[in-house]
Amino acid sequence: MSSDFQEQSGAVQVRGGLTHRQKTLLNVAALLCCLGILALFSRYGSEYHVRILNNMAIFITLAVSYNLVNGVCGILHLGPNAFVAIGAYTSALLTLSPSEKQINFIINDLIWPLSIVQVPFALSLVAAGIMAALFAFIISFPVFRVRGDYLAIVTFGFGEVVRVLCNAAQSITNGPLGLKNLEPYTNLWWSWGIAILTIVSITKLINSSYGRAMKAIREDETAARAMGIDPFRQLLLAFLISAFFSGIAGGLLAHLITTISPTLFMFTLTFNLLIIIVVGGLGSTTGAVIGAILFAWGGEALRIVENPMDIGIITIPGIPGMRMVVFSLILMLVIIFAGHGIFGRNEFSWEMLARICLRGGKRVGSP
Amino acid sequence: MSFFEMRHVIVQFGGLCAVCDFSIALSAGQLVGLIGPNGAGKTTVFNTITGFITPDEGDIFWQGENIRAYPAHRVTASGIARTFQNIRLFADMTVLENVMVSFHYSIQSDFLHAMVGSPKYRRVEAEIREKSRRYLYELGLGHLSSEKAATLAYGQQRRLEIARALATGPKLLLLDEPAAGMNPIETIELAALIRLIRDKYGVTVFLIEHDMKFVMGLCERIKVLDYGKSIAEGTPTEIQKDIKVIKAYLGSGYYAAG
């Protein structure tokens, strides 16, 4: 029985194509390729392009970690803006120099230990992640008592609570004035480094036993419980990891735009992330990455529709906001023609790429 | 101390007594059937054992522990697995993944190892994969391991549910209507499979079934439930002759007329 089964599984592996080693090689090659492109951009790219790339990386980090909760666990969580806000404020308060803090806080003074500390950027990012995860841990008890629409409402509520707190807790966040003059630490290496770290570690988690347990909860929570899975523990794990990476992304965002205020972390941020992962394909990390890239790049590329245009005899004057109209049209088209998003629940794999290339090659070769 | 025992269990849904003063004792290695008319409370008994419902009164003893208040996942971890009346597979996952899920509760590696893909974790994963494949081959599903569970034929889905429950390593296996919707040949195969599982894995099997031929042929002891109350218990031949059972199934008028 056993040897028979060994042979069969061996045969499947050969037919499947690539060995583990080949895949690792390809992954390393792809990573080096990415780093090469980044090096080129950081040396020769214009400030505008670098800015878009940084934005892209931050949105990738956010979308991939958001997808872990919404797509993989199947939980409609609507409060990632809270995690981003907490991460951004934590990291900003930790990197600002004491003198800058004094200039920033003109109405109320910053409370004591925060007013004198200053730590390196890397450490502040770790703190940002931990603070966001801590917040996630505290809210997880009420949040995971409910499911479905109720959970959506509860998380949405906590998202708003954090924004309101940012406005009100003036001696910590400086209220509506926000924090200004942050050092622009975020560069391509930081943002893409974190993005790649997020993608790799979350993908590994999803493909592990933990990921399977999360998917099982998404597919059928009752059956998952009958298989010995404690839904609370698994959902909490996903929630904490998601919050951790979102917090770090918040820290990166703060040091990219160098000025943060509560308006930055409104529900629109959550809404954008939701669009990204739905368009990319709920439950697919590849989809989240593609969605984030399209969102960050598309948002800029679509600026041309706001310029005055000459189409033959008609002249369209430049309409500000036209970009959003076109954007929503594209969104509707994606949902109509690809109901489950661009990638559905599929993931990128080298085999898939090979299949597409081979099929394309055949089509070109055949008469 | 018995292997498994329920003592005076009462479950009430509002004013309705779904399970009224139910007691049963199982000894290791037995094949026991639970029968009764529709709505008799059979599935409620299963839900109570597996921790989906906490009984209002009564105790459930399992290997020396009172598990009445255990949540479902803890009951499974303690060695009681179940299948469902209406099949509940993880539809969008592959057949192999469905079985692999069952090993998660006993995993000996924390999530950080999984996130960095450490050699230690990879070993655990390979082990889970191989054990899961074994269960699939055992139940004749080996050739389907990379198919999505939703695409399986009905009989295969039932088998996959059993494979998944077995993979949690139970000592007591609860099967809720395993033969429902199967044709006569599939039913005969299933009976053989359940015997094989009992003999090979040494599990005690407790099952609910409406197919009387199946239950009478397979089970060594049968418990009959009607309106939440236990009305008879005994060997298949005893049950077939029991007046109360005939009344419950066919109505008292039939008995009077007959």
Side-chain angles (χ1 to χ4, degrees), chain A residues 166-233:
Chain A
C166 288
N167 256 326
Q170 295 206 352
S171 49
I172 301 172
T173 63
N174 204 20
L177 292 175
L179 301 171
K180 294 184 188 67
N181 289 330
L182 302 175
E183 283 292 322
Y185 287 120
T186 305
N187 56 24
L188 283 177
W189 301 111
W190 273 113
S191 62
W192 281 89
I194 298 289
I196 290 168
L197 182 77
T198 311
I199 295 171
V200 170
S201 53
I202 288 189
T203 304
K204 279 201 190 286
L205 185 81
I206 292 174
N207 292 332
S208 78
S209 186
Y210 290 90
R212 273 195 301 275
M214 290 168 194
K215 284 186 215 159
I217 293 169
R218 174 187 73 193
E219 295 293 317
D220 192 324
E221 191 170 331
T222 306
R225 284 167 65 200
M227 295 305 118
I229 291 167
D230 181 356
F232 179 74
R233 266 180 68 177

Side-chain angles (χ1 to χ4, degrees), chain B residues 21-138:
Chain B
D21 199 17
F22 182 81
S23 300
I24 191 172
L26 305 178
S27 39
Q30 269 187 325
L31 248 165
V32 183
L34 180 62
I35 62 170
N38 284 327
K42 304 181 295 293
T43 298
T44 309
V45 170
F46 270 27
N47 285 341
T48 312
I49 298 174
T50 50
F52 285 97
I53 296 172
T54 306
D56 295 302
E57 273 174 58
D59 295 303
I60 306 170
F61 293 100
W62 167 236
Q63 301 194 313
E65 271 179 278
N66 189 349
I67 60 164
R68 80 179 279 280
Y70 278 22
H73 57 91
R74 228 180 126 193
V75 174
T76 307
S78 76
I80 300 178
R82 72 171 292 178
T83 65
F84 293 91
Q85 186 176 0
N86 43 346
I87 300 174
R88 283 177 171 274
L89 290 172
F90 307 125
D92 202 48
M93 296 165 76
T94 67
V95 169
L96 183 65
E97 282 176 327
N98 263 272
V99 180
M100 287 171 85
V101 165
S102 302
F103 291 94
H104 184 70
Y105 82 86
S106 60
I107 194 168
Q108 294 295 322
S109 174
D110 65 58
F111 73 93
L112 285 172
H113 278 102
M115 276 181 99
V116 297
S118 71
K120 185 188 163 204
Y121 178 74
R122 286 219 296 273
R123 263 200 309 281
V124 171
E125 178 84 6
E127 204 176 294
I128 291 177
R129 192 172 291 269
E130 185 173 328
K131 280 189 199 156
S132 303
R133 284 232 172 85
R134 287 241 164 89
Y135 281 109
L136 285 178
Y137 278 97
E138 194 76 53

